[in-house]
């Protein structure tokens, strides 16, 4: 059984970087087919993940390459390390995600981890519909300035979002439009008024990216209250829903009317709406602050909405500290086929 060492990329967030080896180990266990034991290790004072693989075939190398913190991979041969060429899995340059810097931005490595783990739920769920390279439709119902949407584009998926912060959506549209022009990629972008029942709700943003030899990537973001997501998107459904829920500390839990409510109260109202937008066999992945809502209570909200939370040791190693008031964890739940 080949043994490899995976060199971890540095993180701009020092707190997250200190926890990255454990989080990345849990991520790889879920997303890499045929992987054996994965454990953090050090060599000459440098952090690696040591992993046992069935073989160094294409799907395994692609999964390692797609993992949130992978920088390089080496095959262990006695006392020597042989570099292993990893395939390029990103469809576009990752500076689409890394360039924006603003207060409250979720660490982009964690955003990718959350997306990867959620899509692993499609593999673990009853539908098992995600083949390698399959284009998915992914919704972030609290998208903010679009880190999750941009990460979906990196991995080759169509991205859709909704948020009640008009300035955040405007900033996302400005960044993406500028980035596409600077990269000289074939694309179209459009900002239009979103109207429902004769009144204007705000400005909708749509983008399409046309890459050689591939179907166009699409992105759309709507202004509005997340609890109205199903109404705003109409009959459209999604393969996966991926979101970073309000922490109730730095990020307030707002409704469209501007009133404040606890994150637990907001999720109790929003999760049933999101569940109705998932296709059968689809997965919902969410990160949240466990200081404001326990895992047991969140899993109860998901179950009451008709979703099946994925449990077991492989799904329970993602809790980590963000700061003194935020202990972040993630949960994945699937919509049953029947």
């Amino acid at each position: 059984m080949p043994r490899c060492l995976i060199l971890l990329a540095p993180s701009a967030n020092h707190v997250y970087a200190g926890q990255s080896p454990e989080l990345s180990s849990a991520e790889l266990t879920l997303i890499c087919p045929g992987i054996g034991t994965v454990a953090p290790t050090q060599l000459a004072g440098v952090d690696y993940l040591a992993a046992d693989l069935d073989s160094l075939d294409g799907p395994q190398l692609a999964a390692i390459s797609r993992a949130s913190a992978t920088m390089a991979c080496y095959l262990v041969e006695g006392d020597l390390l042989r570099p292993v060429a990893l395939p390029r899995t990103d469809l576009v340059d990752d500076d689409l995600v890394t360039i924006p810097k603003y207060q409250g931005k979720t660490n982009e490595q964690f955003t990718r981890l959350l997306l990867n783990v959620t899509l692993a739920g499609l593999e673990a769920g009853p539908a098992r519909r995600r083949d390698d390279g399959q284009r998915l439709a992914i919704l972030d119902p609290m998208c903010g300035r679009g880190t999750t949407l941009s990460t979906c584009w990196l991995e080759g998926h169509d991205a859709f979002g909704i948020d009640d912060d008009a300035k955040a959506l405007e900033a996302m549209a400005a960044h993406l439009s500028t980035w596409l022009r600077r990269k000289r990629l074939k694309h179209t972008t459009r900002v239009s008024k979103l109207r429902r029942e004769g009144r204007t709700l705000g400005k909708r943003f749509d983008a399409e990216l046309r890459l050689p030899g591939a179907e166009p990537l699409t992105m759309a973001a709507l202004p509005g209250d997340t609890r109205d997501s199903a109404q705003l998107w109409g009959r459209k459904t999604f393969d996966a829903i991926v979101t970073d829920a309000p922490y109730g500390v730095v990020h307030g839990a707002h409704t469209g009317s501007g009133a404040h409510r606890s994150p637990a109260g907001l999720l109790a109202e929003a999760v049933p709406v999101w569940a109705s937008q998932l296709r059968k066999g689809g997965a919902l992945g969410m990160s949240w602050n466990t200081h404001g809502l326990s895992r047991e209570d969140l899993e109860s909200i998901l179950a009451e909405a008709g979703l099946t939370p994925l449990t077991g040791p492989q799904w329970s190693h993602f809790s980590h500290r963000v700061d003194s008031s935020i202990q972040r964890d993630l949960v994945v739940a699937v919509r049953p086929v029947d």
Side-chain angles (χ1 to χ4, degrees):
M1 177 176 287
R3 185 172 180 81
C4 66
L5 293 183
I6 300 167
L7 178 63
L8 298 176
S11 172
N13 185 305
H14 295 296
V15 175
Y16 187 84
Q19 303 166 97
S20 180
E22 289 76 16
L23 294 171
S24 299
S25 295
E27 175 191 11
L28 274 169
T29 299
L30 285 170
I31 73 171
C32 187
I35 200 167
T37 302
V38 184
T41 188
Q42 281 197 343
L43 182 62
V46 178
D47 286 325
Y48 293 86
L49 297 182
D52 296 318
L53 302 171
D54 286 346
S55 63
L56 289 175
D57 61 16
Q60 289 185 331
L61 292 181
I64 291 171
S65 178
R66 192 167 53 245
S68 61
T70 296
M71 186 172 184
C73 181
Y74 301 92
L75 184 64
V76 178
E77 296 182 342
D79 293 332
L80 302 177
L81 300 181
R82 179 168 64 84
V84 176
L86 294 176
R88 177 181 169 87
T89 57
D90 288 354
L91 260 66
V92 296
D93 295 339
D94 64 3
D95 59 357
L96 172 62
V97 177
T98 58
I99 285 175
K101 306 293 182 186
Y102 53 90
Q103 185 177 8
K105 180 184 179 182
T106 303
N107 181 288
E108 52 260 20
Q109 282 188 5
F110 178 75
T111 298
R112 175 168 282 209
L113 181 148
L114 176 60
L115 174 61
N116 287 340
V117 171
T118 302
L119 299 188
L122 292 177
E123 298 283 1
R128 299 181 181 272
R129 292 183 300 104
R130 189 198 179 215
D131 298 320
D132 186 48
Q134 181 179 343
R135 177 73 58 83
L136 302 174
I138 300 174
L139 170 69
D140 182 350
M142 294 186 285
C143 67
R145 290 177 62 167
T147 301
T148 299
L149 306 189
S150 296
T151 303
C152 290
W153 265 23
L154 289 187
E155 296 202 7
H157 303 302
D158 294 328
F160 305 87
I162 184 171
D163 204 275
D164 65 357
D165 186 340
K167 291 184 178 179
L169 295 182
E170 289 175 5
M172 179 190 71
H175 163 64
L176 186 65
S177 300
T178 301
W179 184 88
L180 288 167
R181 289 195 303 270
R182 184 171 58 83
K183 294 288 183 176
R184 298 185 178 181
L185 297 171
K186 292 183 178 180
H187 70 279
T188 56
T189 59
R190 182 166 63 97
V191 176
S192 58
K193 291 182 179 180
L194 178 66
R195 298 179 62 84
R196 291 290 186 275
E197 299 178 352
R199 62 191 184 95
T200 299
L201 302 182
K203 294 181 179 179
R204 167 178 178 150
F205 174 69
D206 291 271
E208 182 179 271
L209 171 59
R210 298 180 294 278
L211 296 171
E215 290 294 318
L217 278 173
T218 61
M219 183 185 296
L222 306 184
D225 190 321
T226 189
R227 297 169 300 165
D228 298 328
S229 180
Q231 179 182 352
L232 291 171
W233 287 109
R235 295 175 179 267
K236 188 170 183 59
T237 56
F238 304 93
D239 295 292
I241 294 175
V242 180
T243 196
D244 188 23
Y247 299 146
V249 184
V250 178
H251 307 284
H254 302 279
T255 67
S257 63
H260 292 261
R261 60 180 60 233
S262 71
L266 177 61
L267 291 177
E269 295 181 43
V271 166
V273 177
W274 304 342
S276 72
Q277 296 180 273
L278 270 180
R279 295 168 185 164
K280 292 182 178 181
L284 185 155
M286 181 192 323
S287 58
W288 86 104
N289 181 12
T290 60
H291 290 327
L293 181 65
S294 70
R295 172 175 283 273
E296 292 75 14
D297 288 342
L298 179 54
E299 289 181 347
S300 294
I301 291 172
L302 293 165
E304 289 173 6
L307 303 178
T308 303
L310 299 179
T311 58
Q314 68 270 40
W315 300 96
S316 61
H317 295 290
F318 295 101
S319 179
H320 61 283
R321 178 179 176 271
V322 176
D323 61 32
S324 60
S325 58
I326 300 173
Q327 183 72 22
R328 184 166 57 192
D329 202 352
L330 69 83
V331 66
V332 177
V334 298
R335 181 180 176 185
V337 175
D338 298 323

